[in-house]
Amino acid sequence: MGELSPLQRPLATEGTMKAQGVLLKLALLALPLLLLLSTPPCAPQVSGIRGDALERFCLQQPLDCDDIYAQGYQSDGVYLIYPSGPSVPVPVFCDMTTEGGKWTVFQKRFNGSVSFFRGWNDYKLGFGRADGEYWLGLQNMHLLTLKQKYELRVDLEDFENNTAYAKYADFSISPNAVSAEEDGYTLFVAGFEDGGAGDSLSYHSGQKFSTFDRDQDLFVQNCAALSSGAFWFRSCHFANLNGFYLGGSHLSYANGINWAQWKGFYYSLKRTEMKIRRA
């Protein structure tokens, strides 16, 4: 092939540049796919809050502490889970040691540093810190139990260092509701197993969640206001784990962190944890 004439050379250069431009555009379009294909299936968990909220190309974010455990992270601590999807990380405490671990803790109290006498929006969305006392949020709990079948464990401790627990083989929040909030985040528990605490929760099954500013119980008065807490009250309760942190025996009736079948209505517990694990 002969050498290009001076008139042909600019045309050849222009054609080459156009071809290179097309290839560059194709490469840029393919880059996100290549990044997705080259990224590990789950975001790496790191120390501290053990999850990378900035990881944007993770194909399978952990739903709960079962998934965290399956990724190889088997130490108690704070991790990120994604009950609402990959763009909304939520810190949670994972109990990886009790009875084989994998427990996603949704309620934790141990020193009274966080006020639990709060309104509806706080209980809906969650509050506190996952490395301290906290409530995970009714909406997050609903989304978790909508996607998997869970068992519930309630761990209790008094100020004399006695411990007990109650387990329930089935636990869910408004499983059939199109709008869980409209349904009142109704509690369903069944399959009680006694770990020394007795059954104070089955009485509450089938009840909507109540706060001092949203009365959804069956009593003529507002149980949340009367009991200084927020819970799935009926008329009113045998369990009031979100009540006042009163530090053991108290004179007031049923407004402490009460689990009636274990310590009655006049003893406020030192530590409580409500946690779920896939059944």
Side-chain angles (χ1 to χ4, degrees):
M1 189 172 181
E3 184 180 351
L4 294 176
S5 70
L7 291 176
Q8 290 174 314
R9 284 172 188 159
L11 294 176
T13 302
E14 184 179 349
T16 302
M17 290 177 63
K18 286 183 178 179
Q20 289 175 341
V22 171
L23 289 173
L24 180 59
K25 288 180 180 179
L26 289 173
L28 290 173
L29 289 172
L31 181 60
L33 179 59
L34 290 172
L35 286 171
L36 281 171
L37 292 174
S38 63
T39 302
C42 291
Q45 299 282 344
V46 296
S47 60
I49 288 186
R50 301 187 181 117
D52 186 0
L54 300 177
E55 177 61 69
R56 299 184 182 277
F57 299 106
C58 185
L59 297 177
Q60 184 185 348
Q61 302 282 14
L63 174 66
D64 54 23
C65 294
D66 283 81
D67 283 343
I68 299 291
Y69 190 94
Q71 291 175 16
Y73 302 96
Q74 300 175 5
S75 298
D76 291 353
V78 177
Y79 298 84
L80 291 183
I81 60 172
Y82 298 79
S84 298
S87 62
V88 189
V90 179
V92 71
F93 189 89
C94 293
D95 176 352
M96 299 300 201
T97 55
T98 301
E99 196 190 1
K102 307 178 186 178
W103 297 100
T104 303
V105 179
F106 67 81
Q107 188 259 24
K108 188 172 186 178
R109 307 188 71 180
F110 57 90
N111 62 9
S113 61
V114 173
S115 171
F116 275 65
F117 191 52
R118 294 172 178 251
W120 178 260
N121 284 337
D122 282 352
Y123 272 95
K124 174 187 174 181
L125 300 175
F127 56 86
R129 291 175 56 95
D131 59 353
E133 295 192 326
Y134 74 98
W135 174 263
L136 185 60
L138 291 164
Q139 183 63 18
N140 286 325
M141 292 156 58
H142 162 67
L143 291 173
L144 286 171
T145 62
L146 195 63
K147 296 171 183 177
Q148 296 288 341
K149 182 179 178 181
Y150 287 94
E151 60 178 333
L152 168 71
R153 180 178 170 117
V154 183
D155 278 314
L156 309 172
E157 182 180 344
D158 65 17
F159 282 89
E160 292 70 48
N161 299 318
N162 300 306
T163 60
Y165 70 88
K167 278 183 66 179
Y168 299 85
D170 294 303
F171 170 85
S172 60
I173 304 294
S174 292
N176 299 318
V178 175
S179 169
E181 184 172 15
E182 184 180 285
D183 191 53
Y185 294 109
T186 300
L187 171 71
F188 290 95
V189 292
F192 168 68
E193 176 187 322
D194 196 2
D199 181 10
S200 293
L201 195 59
S202 292
Y203 171 79
H204 298 259
S205 187
Q207 297 307 301
K208 297 180 179 182
F209 199 88
S210 287
T211 56
F212 63 76
D213 60 346
R214 185 167 299 196
D215 184 0
Q216 302 190 109
D217 58 58
L218 304 182
F219 195 54
V220 63
Q221 298 180 61
N222 184 332
C223 289
L226 289 174
S227 304
S228 306
F231 212 64
W232 296 276
F233 293 115
R234 186 183 289 265
S235 295
C236 281
H237 72 75
F238 285 106
N240 188 36
L241 298 185
N242 296 325
F244 281 162
Y245 197 91
L246 297 179
S249 298
H250 53 90
L251 297 177
S252 53
Y253 175 71
N255 69 334
I257 305 174
N258 306 131
W259 188 269
Q261 297 299 331
W262 191 39
K263 292 290 180 177
F265 293 108
Y266 295 94
Y267 191 97
S268 183
L269 297 168
K270 176 183 179 181
R271 182 180 66 87
T272 69
E273 288 185 10
M274 303 181 75
K275 48 191 138 186
I276 56 176
R277 178 173 67 183
R278 294 186 197 178

